[in-house]
């Protein structure tokens, strides 16, 4: 931040811990004051300053190590949570896939059941008509027999022997169109 001329400097921000420079300045000020008790210790302060730098470095290293350990614990926790989330996602996807397959099988089953029911109804209808026609033919033949009218069934027997009755409707139509 640029200061304008004739403006006082803003107050410096306070930090949580005093800096190394601030501690050294405080030590220097006390030595400059000319304190008689401190004069004798001035020679010992030189060796203490070297020791205090090592202590500060140890404190800084300790603080960094503590913070790194905390971050590593956080990372391990996040990795565990991520793995749990990943497992949940896999299970969830597997369940959804399984449910989709079950739904498709259910729809196919319903479709096949409906198809079978419709065909069963048609078969019952055809079977009922065949029974009705058989009864009608039996009644006609019986009525003809009572009137002493001979019915030539040789054509029917010939068709049975030729396999016409066993042929499909399309095959019978083709045989009739050829004149067989």
């Amino acid at each position: 931040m640029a200061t304008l001329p004739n403006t006082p400097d803003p107050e410096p921000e306070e930090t949580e811990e005093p800096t190394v420079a601030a501690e050294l300045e405080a030590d220097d000020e006390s030595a400059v004051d000319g304190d008689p008790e401190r004069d004798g210790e001035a020679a010992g302060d030189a060796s203490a300053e070297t020791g205090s730098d090592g202590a500060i470095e140890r404190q800084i290293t300790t603080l960094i190590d503590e913070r790194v350990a905390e971050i590593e614990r956080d990372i391990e926790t996040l990795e565990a949570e991520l793995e749990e989330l990943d497992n949940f996602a896999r299970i969830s996807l597997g369940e959804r896939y399984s449910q989709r397959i079950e739904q498709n099988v259910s729809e196919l089953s319903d479709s096949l059941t409906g198809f079978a029911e419709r065909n069963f109804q048609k078969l019952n209808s055809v079977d009922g008509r065949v029974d009705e026609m058989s009864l009608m033919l039996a009644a006609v033949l019986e009525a003809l027999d009572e009137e002493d009218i001979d019915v030539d069934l040789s054509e029917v027997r010939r068709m049975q022997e030729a396999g016409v009755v066993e042929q499909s409707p399309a095959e019978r139509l083709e045989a009739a169109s050829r004149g067989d």
Side-chain angles (χ1 to χ4, degrees):
M1 174 167 124
T3 57
L4 298 174
N6 298 331
T7 42
D9 289 338
E11 293 182 12
E13 295 180 21
E14 293 184 24
T15 58
E16 294 179 8
E17 297 180 18
T19 63
V20 176
E23 288 178 4
L24 291 176
E25 286 177 15
D27 287 341
D28 288 342
E29 288 175 10
S30 64
V32 172
D33 289 343
D35 196 2
E37 295 174 19
R38 295 283 298 174
D39 287 343
E41 297 173 354
D45 280 348
S47 65
E49 286 179 16
T50 307
S52 68
D53 284 344
I56 291 172
E57 286 178 13
R58 283 193 303 269
Q59 285 179 340
I60 291 171
T61 304
T62 303
L63 289 173
I64 290 172
D65 289 344
E66 288 174 359
R67 185 64 183 146
V68 167
E70 182 181 326
I71 291 172
E72 286 175 347
R73 284 191 300 272
D74 289 345
I75 288 172
E76 288 174 2
T77 302
L78 289 173
E79 285 175 345
E81 289 175 1
L82 181 61
E83 184 177 338
E84 184 179 326
L85 183 63
D86 188 41
N87 289 340
F88 177 77
R90 282 188 201 139
I91 291 170
S92 180
L93 286 173
E95 287 176 353
R96 281 189 268 157
Y97 182 71
S98 176
Q99 287 174 350
R100 192 175 331 130
I101 288 173
E102 288 176 8
Q103 183 181 10
N104 289 345
V105 167
S106 176
E107 289 174 2
L108 179 64
S109 176
D110 291 344
S111 175
L112 290 175
T113 301
F115 177 74
E117 287 175 355
R118 286 189 304 273
N119 284 333
F120 188 70
Q121 289 173 351
K122 289 177 182 178
L123 182 63
N124 283 341
S125 174
V126 168
D127 198 30
R129 283 189 267 156
V130 167
D131 286 344
E132 186 179 312
M133 292 292 198
S134 296
L135 289 174
M136 187 179 294
L137 283 174
V140 167
L141 288 175
E142 195 174 301
L144 290 173
D145 191 37
E146 286 178 4
E147 294 294 323
D148 274 336
I149 300 175
D150 289 328
V151 178
D152 185 17
L153 298 176
S154 62
E155 187 66 27
V156 174
R157 287 190 192 101
R158 186 183 66 77
M159 287 184 176
Q160 286 176 336
E161 290 172 1
V164 172
V165 177
E166 296 171 0
Q167 293 175 343
S168 69
E171 291 172 336
R172 283 185 274 167
L173 181 61
E174 185 181 323
S177 66
R178 285 183 293 174
D180 290 341

